[in-house]
Amino acid sequence: MVVTKKKPMKNTNSNLKDQDPKQGTTAIDNHLTTLDSRFNQTLLNVQGMLKGRSFPGKVLITRSDPMDATILHSPGIDRSPSTGSNKYEDGTNEDQVHRSKPDASTTANQLNSSMINPVNTSLEAPRFVMSTRATDTAKLMKFTKVLGGVTVILDKLRELAWSGVPPYLRPNVWRLLLGYAPPNSDRREGGLRRKRIEYFDCVAQYYDISDNERTDEEINMLRQIAVDCPRTVPDVNFFQQVQVQKSLERILYTWAIRHPASGYVQGINDLATPFLVVFLSEHLEGNVDSWSIADLDPDKISNVEADCYWCLSKLLDGMQDHYTFAQPGIQRLVFKLKELVRRIDEPISRHMEEQGLDFLQFSFRWFNCLLIREIPFHLVTRLWDTYLAEGDALPDFLVYIFASFLLTWSEKLQKLDFQEMVMFLQHLPTQNWGDQELEMVLSRAFMWHTMFDSCPNHLV
């Protein structure tokens, strides 16, 4: 390796002042060309890595151009999720796509197109906005095509949903992804009606009875649920409404009675909240904090509650050992997370070990509540689009998502001692996160999963 010593910036700037203006412009152009070349080479390296070719070390791509930030955050632009957003513009045959997750080549094209010349920024910005809107329209058309068929092909729906679902389509998409709504459109309405009636029968049988008909264990469980419901998502006013808490209580108690192997476990109350919000969004408009469930017809509330119950049941069916005695499923995934972090980022793994910080101390809550308590609630539904698109593979993919989430603060954590790390990980600075930060976490998770997927024993 040849190391070239750069001249101090101070001398370079003073020399440029004395040069002919044309020569100064040429020097700047050469410098920008060099930066573009290095950036493009990094993208090619990532592309090669995602195609299965090994690439040593970690790759970090950053863009510090303030003009890029201005365009990405311009008011009035409806930004679609960044992962895989260009997949709907590149003409890829839908049948040839395994899953609409972040793709290296399309990401490279997207980032290359954002290398904006500062002189022509005003001309390039409208092109970026038009591209974003075209992407949204193309993605919406794909969803419409898949959902409009007589029978929904669930594999194609998962491909689309992985990188985000349009909000007004989310209720129907989630019901289909979880297997609650039949994929055949002719059977869907009747199937939902029967499942809702079955839920009402369960509530009448298990919940709408006096304490004299309950065992002591059931009474204690109901009391614990009643205590936990007001604590659920405390920073969202909607969940402090009494009627909302009563619906949540009925859902949780009915589920616990029908699943005696686990019963009610603290944390399951959080898992019901995304379903409540998504299914109520079919009937209420505006921001969640402005919603009033009292404005809804009782029949609609009952249907939403039933849908939440069945979708929660479908989700937990794939991870029941996360909530049985001693929660062995979570403990197993925590061990895999520790091993994965050690392989990806050995310095932070060593630092945490030297400080005596066990992964179980902070990541248990992540697996128990699926990050609902760690990120702003308005991002939860987007995260759950990916969760539900993973289907039966979700528990294993959680390890990669949580590794990506943790390593977002790798450099910061390496400077902290044990007590400071514990406090930091319990109060992560995600309150100002938006779609971009979440998409970066998911993109890294997908990249690492792709790297290790061909080596199934890498975490054994």
Side-chain angles (χ1 to χ4, degrees), residues 143-157 176 181-188:
F143 269 106
T144 303
K145 180 181 177 181
V146 171
L147 294 173
V150 175
T151 300
V152 174
I153 301 175
L154 294 179
D155 286 343
K156 290 185 177 181
L157 186 61
L176 288 164
N184 187 298
S185 59
D186 295 334
R187 299 172 48 212
R188 196 168 300 150

Short mmCIF file of all heavy atoms in Angstrom, two decimals, residues 143-157 176 181-188:
data_model
loop_
_atom_site.label_atom_id
_atom_site.label_comp_id
_atom_site.label_asym_id
_atom_site.label_seq_id
_atom_site.Cartn_x
_atom_site.Cartn_y
_atom_site.Cartn_z
N PHE A 143 -49.08 -3.18 -5.99
CA PHE A 143 -49.95 -3.65 -4.92
C PHE A 143 -51.37 -3.87 -5.44
O PHE A 143 -52.02 -4.87 -5.13
CB PHE A 143 -49.97 -2.64 -3.77
CG PHE A 143 -48.93 -2.90 -2.72
CD1 PHE A 143 -47.80 -2.10 -2.64
CD2 PHE A 143 -49.06 -3.93 -1.81
CE1 PHE A 143 -46.83 -2.32 -1.67
CE2 PHE A 143 -48.10 -4.17 -0.84
CZ PHE A 143 -46.98 -3.35 -0.77
N THR A 144 -51.85 -2.90 -6.20
CA THR A 144 -53.21 -2.98 -6.73
C THR A 144 -53.38 -4.21 -7.61
O THR A 144 -54.41 -4.91 -7.55
CB THR A 144 -53.54 -1.71 -7.53
OG1 THR A 144 -53.36 -0.56 -6.70
CG2 THR A 144 -54.97 -1.75 -8.04
N LYS A 145 -52.37 -4.50 -8.41
CA LYS A 145 -52.43 -5.66 -9.30
C LYS A 145 -52.48 -6.97 -8.50
O LYS A 145 -53.28 -7.87 -8.79
CB LYS A 145 -51.22 -5.66 -10.23
CG LYS A 145 -51.18 -6.84 -11.19
CD LYS A 145 -49.94 -6.79 -12.08
CE LYS A 145 -49.87 -8.01 -12.99
NZ LYS A 145 -48.65 -7.98 -13.84
N VAL A 146 -51.63 -7.07 -7.47
CA VAL A 146 -51.59 -8.31 -6.67
C VAL A 146 -52.87 -8.47 -5.87
O VAL A 146 -53.44 -9.56 -5.81
CB VAL A 146 -50.36 -8.29 -5.73
CG1 VAL A 146 -50.43 -9.45 -4.76
CG2 VAL A 146 -49.07 -8.38 -6.54
N LEU A 147 -53.36 -7.39 -5.26
CA LEU A 147 -54.54 -7.47 -4.41
C LEU A 147 -55.82 -7.60 -5.22
O LEU A 147 -56.84 -8.05 -4.69
CB LEU A 147 -54.62 -6.24 -3.50
CG LEU A 147 -53.52 -6.09 -2.46
CD1 LEU A 147 -53.62 -4.75 -1.76
CD2 LEU A 147 -53.59 -7.22 -1.43
N GLY A 148 -55.78 -7.19 -6.49
CA GLY A 148 -56.99 -7.20 -7.31
C GLY A 148 -57.31 -8.54 -7.93
O GLY A 148 -58.38 -8.70 -8.52
N GLY A 149 -56.43 -9.52 -7.81
CA GLY A 149 -56.68 -10.83 -8.40
C GLY A 149 -57.75 -11.60 -7.64
O GLY A 149 -58.03 -11.32 -6.47
N VAL A 150 -58.31 -12.58 -8.28
CA VAL A 150 -59.31 -13.43 -7.63
C VAL A 150 -58.69 -14.14 -6.43
O VAL A 150 -59.29 -14.26 -5.37
CB VAL A 150 -59.89 -14.46 -8.63
CG1 VAL A 150 -60.86 -15.42 -7.92
CG2 VAL A 150 -60.60 -13.73 -9.77
N THR A 151 -57.45 -14.60 -6.61
CA THR A 151 -56.69 -15.21 -5.52
C THR A 151 -55.36 -14.47 -5.38
O THR A 151 -54.59 -14.38 -6.34
CB THR A 151 -56.43 -16.71 -5.79
OG1 THR A 151 -57.68 -17.38 -5.92
CG2 THR A 151 -55.63 -17.32 -4.65
N VAL A 152 -55.10 -13.95 -4.20
CA VAL A 152 -53.86 -13.21 -3.96
C VAL A 152 -52.70 -14.20 -3.84
O VAL A 152 -52.76 -15.17 -3.08
CB VAL A 152 -53.97 -12.38 -2.66
CG1 VAL A 152 -52.63 -11.74 -2.34
CG2 VAL A 152 -55.05 -11.33 -2.80
N ILE A 153 -51.66 -13.97 -4.62
CA ILE A 153 -50.44 -14.78 -4.53
C ILE A 153 -49.60 -14.22 -3.40
O ILE A 153 -49.00 -13.15 -3.51
CB ILE A 153 -49.67 -14.77 -5.86
CG1 ILE A 153 -50.57 -15.30 -6.99
CG2 ILE A 153 -48.39 -15.60 -5.76
CD1 ILE A 153 -49.94 -15.23 -8.36
N LEU A 154 -49.56 -14.93 -2.28
CA LEU A 154 -48.96 -14.39 -1.07
C LEU A 154 -47.46 -14.14 -1.20
O LEU A 154 -46.93 -13.22 -0.59
CB LEU A 154 -49.24 -15.33 0.11
CG LEU A 154 -50.72 -15.43 0.51
CD1 LEU A 154 -50.90 -16.40 1.68
CD2 LEU A 154 -51.29 -14.06 0.88
N ASP A 155 -46.76 -14.97 -1.97
CA ASP A 155 -45.32 -14.76 -2.15
C ASP A 155 -45.05 -13.40 -2.80
O ASP A 155 -44.12 -12.69 -2.42
CB ASP A 155 -44.71 -15.88 -2.99
CG ASP A 155 -44.57 -17.17 -2.22
OD1 ASP A 155 -44.65 -17.12 -0.97
OD2 ASP A 155 -44.39 -18.23 -2.84
N LYS A 156 -45.85 -13.04 -3.79
CA LYS A 156 -45.67 -11.74 -4.44
C LYS A 156 -46.04 -10.61 -3.49
O LYS A 156 -45.40 -9.55 -3.48
CB LYS A 156 -46.53 -11.67 -5.70
CG LYS A 156 -46.05 -12.57 -6.82
CD LYS A 156 -46.86 -12.36 -8.08
CE LYS A 156 -46.31 -13.22 -9.23
NZ LYS A 156 -47.09 -13.02 -10.48
N LEU A 157 -47.06 -10.83 -2.67
CA LEU A 157 -47.46 -9.81 -1.71
C LEU A 157 -46.36 -9.60 -0.68
O LEU A 157 -46.09 -8.46 -0.26
CB LEU A 157 -48.76 -10.22 -1.03
CG LEU A 157 -49.38 -9.18 -0.09
CD1 LEU A 157 -49.72 -7.90 -0.85
CD2 LEU A 157 -50.64 -9.74 0.60
N LEU A 176 -53.95 -10.52 5.17
CA LEU A 176 -53.57 -11.56 4.22
C LEU A 176 -52.22 -12.18 4.57
O LEU A 176 -52.05 -13.40 4.53
CB LEU A 176 -53.52 -10.97 2.81
CG LEU A 176 -54.88 -10.64 2.17
CD1 LEU A 176 -54.70 -9.71 0.98
CD2 LEU A 176 -55.58 -11.93 1.74
N ALA A 181 -57.11 -13.45 6.78
CA ALA A 181 -58.07 -13.30 5.69
C ALA A 181 -57.74 -14.30 4.59
O ALA A 181 -56.58 -14.45 4.21
CB ALA A 181 -58.03 -11.88 5.14
N PRO A 182 -58.72 -15.01 4.05
CA PRO A 182 -58.46 -15.97 2.96
C PRO A 182 -57.92 -15.26 1.72
O PRO A 182 -58.39 -14.16 1.38
CB PRO A 182 -59.83 -16.57 2.68
CG PRO A 182 -60.64 -16.33 3.92
CD PRO A 182 -60.14 -15.03 4.47
N PRO A 183 -56.95 -15.83 1.03
CA PRO A 183 -56.43 -15.20 -0.19
C PRO A 183 -57.43 -15.16 -1.33
O PRO A 183 -57.32 -14.33 -2.23
CB PRO A 183 -55.22 -16.07 -0.55
CG PRO A 183 -55.44 -17.36 0.15
CD PRO A 183 -56.21 -17.05 1.38
N ASN A 184 -58.43 -16.04 -1.30
CA ASN A 184 -59.46 -16.05 -2.32
C ASN A 184 -60.49 -14.97 -2.01
O ASN A 184 -61.12 -14.98 -0.95
CB ASN A 184 -60.14 -17.42 -2.38
CG ASN A 184 -61.09 -17.55 -3.54
OD1 ASN A 184 -62.07 -16.82 -3.62
ND2 ASN A 184 -60.82 -18.49 -4.45
N SER A 185 -60.68 -14.04 -2.93
CA SER A 185 -61.55 -12.89 -2.67
C SER A 185 -63.01 -13.30 -2.47
O SER A 185 -63.75 -12.64 -1.74
CB SER A 185 -61.44 -11.89 -3.82
OG SER A 185 -61.81 -12.49 -5.05
N ASP A 186 -63.44 -14.38 -3.11
CA ASP A 186 -64.82 -14.82 -2.97
C ASP A 186 -65.13 -15.34 -1.57
O ASP A 186 -66.28 -15.29 -1.12
CB ASP A 186 -65.14 -15.92 -4.00
CG ASP A 186 -65.06 -15.42 -5.43
OD1 ASP A 186 -65.25 -14.20 -5.63
OD2 ASP A 186 -64.79 -16.22 -6.34
N ARG A 187 -64.11 -15.84 -0.89
CA ARG A 187 -64.31 -16.40 0.44
C ARG A 187 -63.94 -15.44 1.56
O ARG A 187 -64.17 -15.73 2.74
CB ARG A 187 -63.47 -17.68 0.59
CG ARG A 187 -63.82 -18.79 -0.39
CD ARG A 187 -62.80 -19.91 -0.30
NE ARG A 187 -62.55 -20.30 1.09
CZ ARG A 187 -61.38 -20.76 1.54
NH1 ARG A 187 -60.36 -20.88 0.72
NH2 ARG A 187 -61.24 -21.09 2.80
N ARG A 188 -63.38 -14.29 1.21
CA ARG A 188 -62.78 -13.42 2.22
C ARG A 188 -63.81 -12.85 3.19
O ARG A 188 -63.64 -12.93 4.41
CB ARG A 188 -62.00 -12.30 1.53
CG ARG A 188 -61.02 -11.57 2.45
CD ARG A 188 -60.10 -10.70 1.62
NE ARG A 188 -59.35 -11.53 0.66
CZ ARG A 188 -58.93 -11.11 -0.52
NH1 ARG A 188 -59.18 -9.86 -0.91
NH2 ARG A 188 -58.25 -11.91 -1.32
#
